[in-house]
PDB file of all heavy atoms in Angstrom:
ATOM      1  N   GLU A  83     -99.522  -0.711 -37.531  1.00  0.00           N
ATOM      2  CA  GLU A  83     -98.431  -1.600 -37.956  1.00  0.00           C
ATOM      3  C   GLU A  83     -98.379  -2.784 -36.994  1.00  0.00           C
ATOM      4  O   GLU A  83     -98.969  -2.741 -35.905  1.00  0.00           O
ATOM      5  CB  GLU A  83     -97.094  -0.849 -37.976  1.00  0.00           C
ATOM      6  CG  GLU A  83     -96.718  -0.211 -36.647  1.00  0.00           C
ATOM      7  CD  GLU A  83     -95.231  -0.330 -36.352  1.00  0.00           C
ATOM      8  OE1 GLU A  83     -94.550  -1.194 -36.939  1.00  0.00           O
ATOM      9  OE2 GLU A  83     -94.751   0.412 -35.482  1.00  0.00           O
ATOM     10  N   THR A  85     -95.526  -4.590 -35.712  1.00  0.00           N
ATOM     11  CA  THR A  85     -94.391  -4.908 -34.835  1.00  0.00           C
ATOM     12  C   THR A  85     -94.705  -4.674 -33.338  1.00  0.00           C
ATOM     13  O   THR A  85     -94.520  -5.605 -32.534  1.00  0.00           O
ATOM     14  CB  THR A  85     -93.132  -4.122 -35.274  1.00  0.00           C
ATOM     15  OG1 THR A  85     -93.013  -4.260 -36.688  1.00  0.00           O
ATOM     16  CG2 THR A  85     -91.885  -4.637 -34.603  1.00  0.00           C
ATOM     17  N   ARG A 111    -104.217   3.284 -41.448  1.00  0.00           N
ATOM     18  CA  ARG A 111    -103.474   4.555 -41.397  1.00  0.00           C
ATOM     19  C   ARG A 111    -104.255   5.592 -42.182  1.00  0.00           C
ATOM     20  O   ARG A 111    -104.666   5.322 -43.318  1.00  0.00           O
ATOM     21  CB  ARG A 111    -102.070   4.412 -42.037  1.00  0.00           C
ATOM     22  CG  ARG A 111    -101.162   3.477 -41.290  1.00  0.00           C
ATOM     23  CD  ARG A 111     -99.754   3.461 -41.892  1.00  0.00           C
ATOM     24  NE  ARG A 111     -99.000   2.340 -41.357  1.00  0.00           N
ATOM     25  CZ  ARG A 111     -97.781   1.992 -41.736  1.00  0.00           C
ATOM     26  NH1 ARG A 111     -97.155   2.697 -42.666  1.00  0.00           N
ATOM     27  NH2 ARG A 111     -97.178   0.956 -41.200  1.00  0.00           N
ATOM     28  N   GLU A 113    -103.918   7.921 -44.359  1.00  0.00           N
ATOM     29  CA  GLU A 113    -103.025   8.512 -45.359  1.00  0.00           C
ATOM     30  C   GLU A 113    -103.858   8.945 -46.543  1.00  0.00           C
ATOM     31  O   GLU A 113    -105.025   8.555 -46.677  1.00  0.00           O
ATOM     32  CB  GLU A 113    -102.004   7.475 -45.824  1.00  0.00           C
ATOM     33  CG  GLU A 113    -101.007   7.101 -44.756  1.00  0.00           C
ATOM     34  CD  GLU A 113     -99.853   6.289 -45.330  1.00  0.00           C
ATOM     35  OE1 GLU A 113     -98.925   6.906 -45.863  1.00  0.00           O
ATOM     36  OE2 GLU A 113     -99.896   5.050 -45.249  1.00  0.00           O
ATOM     37  N   GLY A 118    -102.038   1.745 -54.481  1.00  0.00           N
ATOM     38  CA  GLY A 118    -101.125   1.069 -53.553  1.00  0.00           C
ATOM     39  C   GLY A 118    -101.084   1.691 -52.164  1.00  0.00           C
ATOM     40  O   GLY A 118    -100.294   1.284 -51.325  1.00  0.00           O
ATOM     41  N   ARG A 119    -101.915   2.721 -51.927  1.00  0.00           N
ATOM     42  CA  ARG A 119    -101.938   3.308 -50.586  1.00  0.00           C
ATOM     43  C   ARG A 119    -103.388   3.443 -50.127  1.00  0.00           C
ATOM     44  O   ARG A 119    -104.184   4.134 -50.754  1.00  0.00           O
ATOM     45  CB  ARG A 119    -101.242   4.664 -50.576  1.00  0.00           C
ATOM     46  CG  ARG A 119    -101.071   5.189 -49.150  1.00  0.00           C
ATOM     47  CD  ARG A 119    -100.041   6.256 -49.055  1.00  0.00           C
ATOM     48  NE  ARG A 119    -100.525   7.489 -49.646  1.00  0.00           N
ATOM     49  CZ  ARG A 119     -99.772   8.567 -49.864  1.00  0.00           C
ATOM     50  NH1 ARG A 119     -98.497   8.532 -49.570  1.00  0.00           N
ATOM     51  NH2 ARG A 119    -100.286   9.642 -50.390  1.00  0.00           N
ATOM     52  N   TYR A 120    -103.691   2.755 -49.058  1.00  0.00           N
ATOM     53  CA  TYR A 120    -105.074   2.715 -48.567  1.00  0.00           C
ATOM     54  C   TYR A 120    -105.114   3.089 -47.097  1.00  0.00           C
ATOM     55  O   TYR A 120    -104.072   3.172 -46.444  1.00  0.00           O
ATOM     56  CB  TYR A 120    -105.648   1.298 -48.770  1.00  0.00           C
ATOM     57  CG  TYR A 120    -105.468   0.818 -50.179  1.00  0.00           C
ATOM     58  CD1 TYR A 120    -104.402  -0.019 -50.521  1.00  0.00           C
ATOM     59  CD2 TYR A 120    -106.317   1.266 -51.184  1.00  0.00           C
ATOM     60  CE1 TYR A 120    -104.213  -0.409 -51.834  1.00  0.00           C
ATOM     61  CE2 TYR A 120    -106.129   0.876 -52.492  1.00  0.00           C
ATOM     62  CZ  TYR A 120    -105.079   0.042 -52.815  1.00  0.00           C
ATOM     63  OH  TYR A 120    -104.875  -0.323 -54.114  1.00  0.00           O
ATOM     64  N   PHE A 123    -105.315  -1.541 -44.989  1.00  0.00           N
ATOM     65  CA  PHE A 123    -104.537  -2.382 -45.894  1.00  0.00           C
ATOM     66  C   PHE A 123    -104.007  -3.572 -45.105  1.00  0.00           C
ATOM     67  O   PHE A 123    -104.099  -3.590 -43.874  1.00  0.00           O
ATOM     68  CB  PHE A 123    -103.384  -1.581 -46.518  1.00  0.00           C
ATOM     69  CG  PHE A 123    -102.419  -1.027 -45.504  1.00  0.00           C
ATOM     70  CD1 PHE A 123    -101.220  -1.671 -45.222  1.00  0.00           C
ATOM     71  CD2 PHE A 123    -102.722   0.135 -44.796  1.00  0.00           C
ATOM     72  CE1 PHE A 123    -100.340  -1.170 -44.266  1.00  0.00           C
ATOM     73  CE2 PHE A 123    -101.845   0.640 -43.830  1.00  0.00           C
ATOM     74  CZ  PHE A 123    -100.658  -0.008 -43.573  1.00  0.00           C
ATOM     75  N   GLN A 125    -100.890  -6.278 -44.108  1.00  0.00           N
ATOM     76  CA  GLN A 125     -99.438  -6.500 -44.099  1.00  0.00           C
ATOM     77  C   GLN A 125     -99.153  -7.969 -43.865  1.00  0.00           C
ATOM     78  O   GLN A 125     -99.810  -8.622 -43.053  1.00  0.00           O
ATOM     79  CB  GLN A 125     -98.783  -5.702 -42.972  1.00  0.00           C
ATOM     80  CG  GLN A 125     -98.444  -4.274 -43.334  1.00  0.00           C
ATOM     81  CD  GLN A 125     -97.595  -3.589 -42.268  1.00  0.00           C
ATOM     82  OE1 GLN A 125     -97.333  -4.143 -41.196  1.00  0.00           O
ATOM     83  NE2 GLN A 125     -97.165  -2.384 -42.567  1.00  0.00           N
ATOM     84  N   GLU A 129     -91.308 -11.380 -37.666  1.00  0.00           N
ATOM     85  CA  GLU A 129     -90.464 -10.787 -36.629  1.00  0.00           C
ATOM     86  C   GLU A 129     -89.646 -11.895 -35.965  1.00  0.00           C
ATOM     87  O   GLU A 129     -90.189 -12.956 -35.645  1.00  0.00           O
ATOM     88  CB  GLU A 129     -91.316 -10.105 -35.530  1.00  0.00           C
ATOM     89  CG  GLU A 129     -92.441  -9.184 -36.008  1.00  0.00           C
ATOM     90  CD  GLU A 129     -91.972  -7.873 -36.638  1.00  0.00           C
ATOM     91  OE1 GLU A 129     -90.778  -7.535 -36.512  1.00  0.00           O
ATOM     92  OE2 GLU A 129     -92.807  -7.202 -37.275  1.00  0.00           O
ATOM     93  N   ARG A 254     -86.165   4.891 -42.978  1.00  0.00           N
ATOM     94  CA  ARG A 254     -87.453   4.304 -42.595  1.00  0.00           C
ATOM     95  C   ARG A 254     -88.299   5.320 -41.809  1.00  0.00           C
ATOM     96  O   ARG A 254     -87.782   6.193 -41.145  1.00  0.00           O
ATOM     97  CB  ARG A 254     -87.293   3.012 -41.779  1.00  0.00           C
ATOM     98  CG  ARG A 254     -86.360   2.006 -42.393  1.00  0.00           C
ATOM     99  CD  ARG A 254     -87.042   1.139 -43.416  1.00  0.00           C
ATOM    100  NE  ARG A 254     -88.088   0.352 -42.827  1.00  0.00           N
ATOM    101  CZ  ARG A 254     -89.351   0.385 -43.259  1.00  0.00           C
ATOM    102  NH1 ARG A 254     -89.717   1.148 -44.241  1.00  0.00           N
ATOM    103  NH2 ARG A 254     -90.260  -0.391 -42.703  1.00  0.00           N
ATOM    104  N   TYR A 258     -88.136   3.203 -34.305  1.00  0.00           N
ATOM    105  CA  TYR A 258     -87.432   2.220 -33.474  1.00  0.00           C
ATOM    106  C   TYR A 258     -86.238   1.518 -34.129  1.00  0.00           C
ATOM    107  O   TYR A 258     -85.571   0.725 -33.504  1.00  0.00           O
ATOM    108  CB  TYR A 258     -88.412   1.162 -32.960  1.00  0.00           C
ATOM    109  CG  TYR A 258     -89.349   0.547 -33.983  1.00  0.00           C
ATOM    110  CD1 TYR A 258     -88.882  -0.224 -35.028  1.00  0.00           C
ATOM    111  CD2 TYR A 258     -90.724   0.727 -33.857  1.00  0.00           C
ATOM    112  CE1 TYR A 258     -89.753  -0.809 -35.937  1.00  0.00           C
ATOM    113  CE2 TYR A 258     -91.609   0.161 -34.757  1.00  0.00           C
ATOM    114  CZ  TYR A 258     -91.120  -0.615 -35.801  1.00  0.00           C
ATOM    115  OH  TYR A 258     -91.980  -1.191 -36.692  1.00  0.00           O
ATOM    116  N   TYR A 259     -85.946   1.845 -35.368  1.00  0.00           N
ATOM    117  CA  TYR A 259     -84.901   1.063 -36.051  1.00  0.00           C
ATOM    118  C   TYR A 259     -83.501   1.357 -35.536  1.00  0.00           C
ATOM    119  O   TYR A 259     -83.175   2.483 -35.168  1.00  0.00           O
ATOM    120  CB  TYR A 259     -84.952   1.301 -37.556  1.00  0.00           C
ATOM    121  CG  TYR A 259     -86.171   0.672 -38.182  1.00  0.00           C
ATOM    122  CD1 TYR A 259     -87.202   1.439 -38.695  1.00  0.00           C
ATOM    123  CD2 TYR A 259     -86.300  -0.716 -38.223  1.00  0.00           C
ATOM    124  CE1 TYR A 259     -88.335   0.855 -39.236  1.00  0.00           C
ATOM    125  CE2 TYR A 259     -87.427  -1.308 -38.757  1.00  0.00           C
ATOM    126  CZ  TYR A 259     -88.443  -0.522 -39.261  1.00  0.00           C
ATOM    127  OH  TYR A 259     -89.554  -1.109 -39.790  1.00  0.00           O
ATOM    128  N   ALA A 276     -92.631   1.095 -52.484  1.00  0.00           N
ATOM    129  CA  ALA A 276     -92.096   0.120 -51.529  1.00  0.00           C
ATOM    130  C   ALA A 276     -93.038  -1.081 -51.388  1.00  0.00           C
ATOM    131  O   ALA A 276     -94.166  -0.943 -50.930  1.00  0.00           O
ATOM    132  CB  ALA A 276     -91.875   0.769 -50.172  1.00  0.00           C
ATOM    133  N   LEU A 277     -92.535  -2.223 -51.811  1.00  0.00           N
ATOM    134  CA  LEU A 277     -93.298  -3.462 -51.611  1.00  0.00           C
ATOM    135  C   LEU A 277     -93.322  -3.807 -50.135  1.00  0.00           C
ATOM    136  O   LEU A 277     -94.283  -4.374 -49.616  1.00  0.00           O
ATOM    137  CB  LEU A 277     -92.598  -4.618 -52.317  1.00  0.00           C
ATOM    138  CG  LEU A 277     -92.843  -4.884 -53.783  1.00  0.00           C
ATOM    139  CD1 LEU A 277     -91.925  -5.987 -54.254  1.00  0.00           C
ATOM    140  CD2 LEU A 277     -94.295  -5.263 -54.012  1.00  0.00           C
ATOM    141  N   GLY A 278     -92.210  -3.476 -49.478  1.00  0.00           N
ATOM    142  CA  GLY A 278     -92.102  -3.794 -48.061  1.00  0.00           C
ATOM    143  C   GLY A 278     -90.886  -3.127 -47.463  1.00  0.00           C
ATOM    144  O   GLY A 278     -90.090  -2.498 -48.173  1.00  0.00           O
ATOM    145  N   GLY A 279     -90.769  -3.266 -46.154  1.00  0.00           N
ATOM    146  CA  GLY A 279     -89.612  -2.682 -45.487  1.00  0.00           C
ATOM    147  C   GLY A 279     -89.442  -3.298 -44.121  1.00  0.00           C
ATOM    148  O   GLY A 279     -90.351  -3.960 -43.605  1.00  0.00           O
ATOM    149  N   GLY A 280     -88.269  -3.081 -43.549  1.00  0.00           N
ATOM    150  CA  GLY A 280     -88.057  -3.637 -42.218  1.00  0.00           C
ATOM    151  C   GLY A 280     -86.704  -3.262 -41.682  1.00  0.00           C
ATOM    152  O   GLY A 280     -86.015  -2.389 -42.227  1.00  0.00           O
ATOM    153  N   GLY A 299     -87.252  -7.542 -38.168  1.00  0.00           N
ATOM    154  CA  GLY A 299     -88.408  -8.037 -38.916  1.00  0.00           C
ATOM    155  C   GLY A 299     -88.657  -7.230 -40.161  1.00  0.00           C
ATOM    156  O   GLY A 299     -87.893  -6.310 -40.488  1.00  0.00           O
ATOM    157  N   PHE A 300     -89.728  -7.571 -40.842  1.00  0.00           N
ATOM    158  CA  PHE A 300     -90.115  -6.815 -42.037  1.00  0.00           C
ATOM    159  C   PHE A 300     -91.613  -6.983 -42.246  1.00  0.00           C
ATOM    160  O   PHE A 300     -92.244  -7.864 -41.647  1.00  0.00           O
ATOM    161  CB  PHE A 300     -89.371  -7.337 -43.284  1.00  0.00           C
ATOM    162  CG  PHE A 300     -89.786  -8.715 -43.704  1.00  0.00           C
ATOM    163  CD1 PHE A 300     -90.901  -8.913 -44.522  1.00  0.00           C
ATOM    164  CD2 PHE A 300     -89.101  -9.831 -43.263  1.00  0.00           C
ATOM    165  CE1 PHE A 300     -91.308 -10.182 -44.883  1.00  0.00           C
ATOM    166  CE2 PHE A 300     -89.499 -11.108 -43.626  1.00  0.00           C
ATOM    167  CZ  PHE A 300     -90.601 -11.283 -44.441  1.00  0.00           C
ATOM    168  N   ALA A 301     -92.162  -6.140 -43.093  1.00  0.00           N
ATOM    169  CA  ALA A 301     -93.558  -6.340 -43.506  1.00  0.00           C
ATOM    170  C   ALA A 301     -93.724  -5.926 -44.961  1.00  0.00           C
ATOM    171  O   ALA A 301     -93.142  -4.926 -45.404  1.00  0.00           O
ATOM    172  CB  ALA A 301     -94.500  -5.528 -42.621  1.00  0.00           C
ATOM    173  N   GLY A 303     -96.576  -4.918 -47.948  1.00  0.00           N
ATOM    174  CA  GLY A 303     -97.954  -4.478 -48.137  1.00  0.00           C
ATOM    175  C   GLY A 303     -98.622  -5.461 -49.095  1.00  0.00           C
ATOM    176  O   GLY A 303     -98.170  -5.611 -50.232  1.00  0.00           O
ATOM    177  N   ARG A 306     -99.860  -4.210 -52.394  1.00  0.00           N
ATOM    178  CA  ARG A 306     -98.765  -3.908 -53.324  1.00  0.00           C
ATOM    179  C   ARG A 306     -98.199  -5.194 -53.920  1.00  0.00           C
ATOM    180  O   ARG A 306     -97.794  -5.220 -55.079  1.00  0.00           O
ATOM    181  CB  ARG A 306     -97.681  -3.092 -52.612  1.00  0.00           C
ATOM    182  CG  ARG A 306     -98.251  -1.766 -52.158  1.00  0.00           C
ATOM    183  CD  ARG A 306     -97.181  -0.837 -51.654  1.00  0.00           C
ATOM    184  NE  ARG A 306     -97.836   0.308 -51.017  1.00  0.00           N
ATOM    185  CZ  ARG A 306     -97.195   1.273 -50.402  1.00  0.00           C
ATOM    186  NH1 ARG A 306     -95.880   1.243 -50.329  1.00  0.00           N
ATOM    187  NH2 ARG A 306     -97.855   2.266 -49.851  1.00  0.00           N
TER     188      ARG A 306
HETATM  189  P1  HAM B   1     -93.765   0.242 -43.066  1.00  0.00           P
HETATM  190  O1  HAM B   1     -92.648   0.608 -43.988  1.00  0.00           O
HETATM  191  O2  HAM B   1     -94.482   1.367 -42.417  1.00  0.00           O
HETATM  192  O3  HAM B   1     -93.144  -0.723 -41.980  1.00  0.00           O
HETATM  193  O4  HAM B   1     -94.825  -0.651 -43.814  1.00  0.00           O
HETATM  194  C1  HAM B   1     -94.434  -1.834 -44.467  1.00  0.00           C
HETATM  195  C2  HAM B   1     -95.118  -1.926 -45.815  1.00  0.00           C
HETATM  196  O5  HAM B   1     -96.536  -1.833 -45.667  1.00  0.00           O
HETATM  197  C3  HAM B   1     -94.785  -0.798 -46.787  1.00  0.00           C
HETATM  198  O6  HAM B   1     -93.559  -1.019 -47.440  1.00  0.00           O
HETATM  199  C4  HAM B   1     -95.962  -0.896 -47.751  1.00  0.00           C
HETATM  200  O7  HAM B   1     -95.757  -1.922 -48.697  1.00  0.00           O
HETATM  201  C5  HAM B   1     -97.107  -1.293 -46.839  1.00  0.00           C
HETATM  202  N1  HAM B   1     -97.893  -0.090 -46.513  1.00  0.00           N
HETATM  203  C6  HAM B   1     -97.617   0.877 -45.613  1.00  0.00           C
HETATM  204  N2  HAM B   1     -98.589   1.799 -45.597  1.00  0.00           N
HETATM  205  C7  HAM B   1     -99.502   1.429 -46.508  1.00  0.00           C
HETATM  206  C8  HAM B   1    -100.754   1.958 -46.958  1.00  0.00           C
HETATM  207  N3  HAM B   1    -101.269   3.073 -46.453  1.00  0.00           N
HETATM  208  N4  HAM B   1    -101.437   1.277 -47.931  1.00  0.00           N
HETATM  209  C9  HAM B   1    -100.947   0.131 -48.443  1.00  0.00           C
HETATM  210  N5  HAM B   1     -99.768  -0.420 -48.053  1.00  0.00           N
HETATM  211  C10 HAM B   1     -99.068   0.212 -47.098  1.00  0.00           C
HETATM  212  C11 HAM B   1     -93.831  -1.269 -40.936  1.00  0.00           C
HETATM  213  O8  HAM B   1     -95.012  -1.194 -40.809  1.00  0.00           O
HETATM  214  C12 HAM B   1     -92.957  -2.058 -39.993  1.00  0.00           C
HETATM  215  N6  HAM B   1     -93.814  -2.566 -38.907  1.00  0.00           N
HETATM  216  C13 HAM B   1     -92.255  -3.187 -40.715  1.00  0.00           C
HETATM  217  C14 HAM B   1     -91.375  -3.963 -39.812  1.00  0.00           C
HETATM  218  C15 HAM B   1     -91.636  -5.173 -39.275  1.00  0.00           C
HETATM  219  N7  HAM B   1     -90.203  -3.575 -39.331  1.00  0.00           N
HETATM  220  C16 HAM B   1     -89.732  -4.499 -38.526  1.00  0.00           C
HETATM  221  N8  HAM B   1     -90.593  -5.470 -38.473  1.00  0.00           N
END
Side-chain angles (χ1 to χ4, degrees):
E83 57 141 340
T85 313
R111 295 185 193 175
E113 291 191 83
R119 189 162 72 189
Y120 308 98
F123 60 99
Q125 274 189 354
E129 313 289 348
R254 310 275 297 124
Y258 48 65
Y259 289 111
L277 275 174
F300 68 85
R306 297 189 190 176

